[in-house]
Amino acid sequence: MNILVTNNPLCKGRLGNLYDVRFSEVSALEILKCARGFVHLGHSLITHPTAGGLPPGHSPYKSIVITAEATTPNLAFINAIEHTIAQYEKSTRPEPKEHLEDFAALDFALVCK
Amino acid sequence: MKLEVGYIDIKDVQFSDTSKVAAGVLYVEAEAVRKLVLEDARIADIQLDIARPGESVRIAPVKDVIEPRCKVGSDLEIFPGMLGKVKTVGNGRTHVLRGSAVVTCGAIVGFQEGIIDMSGPGAAYTPFSETNNLVLIFTPKKDLPQHEYEQALRMAGFKVAVYLGDLGREVTPDCVETYETYGMLKAKEMYPDLPRVGYVQMLQTQGLLHDTYVYGVDMKNSLTTMINPTEVMDGAIVSGNCVSACDKNTTYHHQNNPVIKDLFAKHGKELIFAGMIITNENVFLMDKERSSDWTAKLCAIMEFDGVVITQEGFGNPDTDLMMNCKKVEAVGVPTVIVTDEYAGRDGTSQSLADVDIAANAVVTGGNANEVITLPKMDKVIGSLAEVDVIAGGFENNTLADGSIVVELQAIIGATNELGFSRHSAR
């Protein structure tokens, strides 16, 4: 079963049959950093870290699917996650406080297939 | 396939007792449109308004823009599989109410719809400041889930566009243009010395509220496939997405795809417009691999001498763009890609989320992060309540004099990745 790293409360209770859900109440950036840890250990990215059509810092929620198995670290995955983190770190946008349900629904839809 | 397109130039839109087109004016019976829209029980109320070029009007939050068209002299229908019968379009004759548009307006997810200014500095960034717009402002039924609201609003927009388009059925067009494509062998026979150029259109398909439909099929569930460019002019591809306003392709953009138009203009003269491939932009990396593999495979099967690839959206679709580019180049077909940039407000950051050395011919639609001040308008159609939360807006971005400061992202079509704008750089 693949691992889902997420801070989205919608994913918490509803995706247990699909993924090994690792939920924590942290920022989207912290979720990316958590996924980066896995990728450097050789886990593969299953979903793209910037998925969702929203610029970095616009959505408070982030869900990323990675493989349970680890092999040799893959440079393309490392580049993708590092680039995404760099973009998030540059974003100065304060975390949104409105439309939280909309953000959660969009993020959930990206990984619920 | 051969499509005759008759353009009826519309110089004004007015409300009237009866709906009709006369002497270049589109008359709209508001009550008939209201009734049509309210057939859908998910829509609680609908308001209608008109926005004309040059007026001091701001429309927000805009979801989609649609051009009224109709099929003439056949049983074919516009928006096949979505609203009309699913029969293959792209043949026969089509009438277009050129210069008019239906604009759908409603805060579906609050943060991914855009702005149209009909005058002032913002007007130069959107093609819909030049169209006579019938604006539909929706109120959904209470507690309607977002995806149903999106669907209801999307379908209502098509219904109204078809209703208006039908008014042009018996009208003599101001001009008629013919677009004809040939099979592989015939085209080669006719123009043995011209290069065979293809077009790869990437369609936004990231899931909930980010979908594009082809003959009614959600493109994210499709393999990369081929379509005849004239089919697109008849509404075979429609927008169902709420991505950043600046680089989403509205249905109007699809109907008037400038890459298709420009390739047709050179067809039989400088090149053969040899085919069009449509592919998706999915979230799962396996889907990206499969779709881009198929893009390259189809380019090889079609023996294109070159292709133009256009993107929709930004961020993770940059990965699809680069995968398409490098795999198509790897099968020996040179590419030109069309994209836009998120290079920071000062333009110094890396423009794309992904890059590849194979992408050595790149056309940009502009920097979506560029900041613009939009002066106060006399009239707002819709609501500005969301203007600080839409993508491209930011907190406290309304100034004391009523003007708003936004990134170009917030303006519908500002950095369109089909090249549907007049912007250039020196």
Side-chain angles (χ1 to χ4, degrees), chain B residues 160-175:
Chain B
V160 174
V162 165
Y163 167 78
L164 298 178
D166 277 344
L167 303 173
R169 191 178 299 276
E170 308 297 336
V171 179
T172 306
D174 294 282
C175 72

Side-chain angles (χ1 to χ4, degrees), chain B residues 50-373:
Chain B
I50 289 170
R52 300 178 183 88
E55 290 180 343
S56 179
V57 168
R58 174 163 297 142
I59 316 171
V62 174
K63 161 77 165 56
D64 198 9
V65 184
I66 309 150
E67 185 172 57
R69 296 184 166 207
C70 73
K71 295 298 293 175
V72 178
S74 70
D75 62 346
L76 301 178
E77 292 179 66
I78 295 290
F79 306 129
M82 183 52 76
L83 199 64
K85 287 194 288 283
V86 75
K87 264 192 152 175
T88 301
V89 291
N91 271 314
R93 186 173 171 114
T94 301
H95 280 184
V96 180
L97 301 188
R98 183 165 66 181
S100 72
V102 174
V103 174
T104 55
C105 211
I108 297 173
V109 279
F111 44 81
Q112 288 203 328
E113 283 79 42
I115 296 170
I116 295 173
D117 275 3
M118 299 306 291
S119 62
Y125 285 91
T126 177
F128 308 116
S129 61
E130 294 173 24
T131 47
N132 292 284
N133 302 319
L134 177 70
V135 189
L136 312 177
I137 308 113
F138 294 85
T139 309
K141 246 175 76 179
K142 206 169 167 264
D143 299 327
L144 187 69
Q146 301 103 330
H147 66 281
E148 284 205 39
Y149 182 17
E150 187 280 323
Q151 197 205 20
L153 197 152
R154 165 164 38 95
M155 296 309 287
F158 299 149
K159 266 165 100 175
V160 174
V162 165
Y163 167 78
L164 298 178
D166 277 344
L167 303 173
R169 191 178 299 276
E170 308 297 336
V171 179
T172 306
D174 294 282
C175 72
V176 178
E177 285 173 22
T178 304
Y179 303 94
E180 187 167 13
T181 56
Y182 312 101
M184 265 174 93
L185 294 178
K186 190 176 175 194
K188 193 75 198 163
E189 227 176 83
M190 289 170 72
Y191 312 110
D193 301 324
L194 296 183
R196 295 168 44 73
V197 177
Y199 172 32
V200 175
Q201 186 179 16
M202 297 167 55
L203 303 172
Q204 178 63 257
T205 56
Q206 287 190 70
L208 185 67
L209 309 178
H210 290 75
D211 288 315
T212 304
Y213 299 85
V214 180
Y215 279 94
V217 173
D218 184 343
M219 190 60 196
K220 76 166 167 288
N221 299 318
S222 169
L223 289 169
T224 300
T225 187
M226 296 201 69
I227 193 166
N228 200 69
T230 56
E231 294 176 72
V232 184
M233 297 176 176
D234 277 346
I237 303 177
V238 298
S239 168
N241 66 58
C242 310
V243 295
S244 282
C246 67
D247 56 13
K248 81 165 153 194
N249 295 330
T250 66
T251 299
Y252 188 104
H253 286 107
H254 288 298
Q255 294 169 303
N256 292 282
N257 188 321
V259 176
I260 292 178
K261 249 193 150 173
D262 287 359
L263 285 173
F264 265 124
K266 295 180 186 299
H267 184 47
K269 297 178 192 119
E270 287 175 41
L271 52 84
I272 302 170
F273 188 1
M276 177 171 173
I277 293 168
I278 43 174
T279 186
N280 50 23
E281 300 173 346
N282 284 5
V283 172
F284 283 74
L285 292 163
M286 192 171 79
D287 296 333
K288 292 182 187 297
E289 286 290 357
R290 185 191 307 111
S291 293
S292 51
D293 281 355
W294 276 63
T295 300
K297 181 175 66 184
L298 290 177
C299 285
I301 290 172
M302 291 301 292
E303 297 184 288
F304 291 140
D305 293 314
V307 295
V308 177
I309 305 177
T310 61
Q311 187 190 2
E312 181 174 6
F314 71 97
N316 110 82
D318 296 349
T319 303
D320 302 86
L321 178 67
M322 289 305 147
M323 281 178 163
N324 283 323
C325 177
K326 71 181 175 199
K327 288 179 187 180
V328 172
E329 292 264 350
V331 297
V333 180
T335 60
V336 173
I337 63 173
V338 189
T339 178
D340 67 348
E341 301 176 61
Y342 284 74
R345 289 183 186 171
D346 59 359
T348 60
S349 301
Q350 182 177 317
S351 298
L352 297 172
D354 202 357
V355 287
D356 193 277
I357 197 161
N360 53 16
V362 184
V363 179
T364 176
N367 178 14
N369 293 131
E370 203 176 301
V371 175
I372 183 170
T373 302

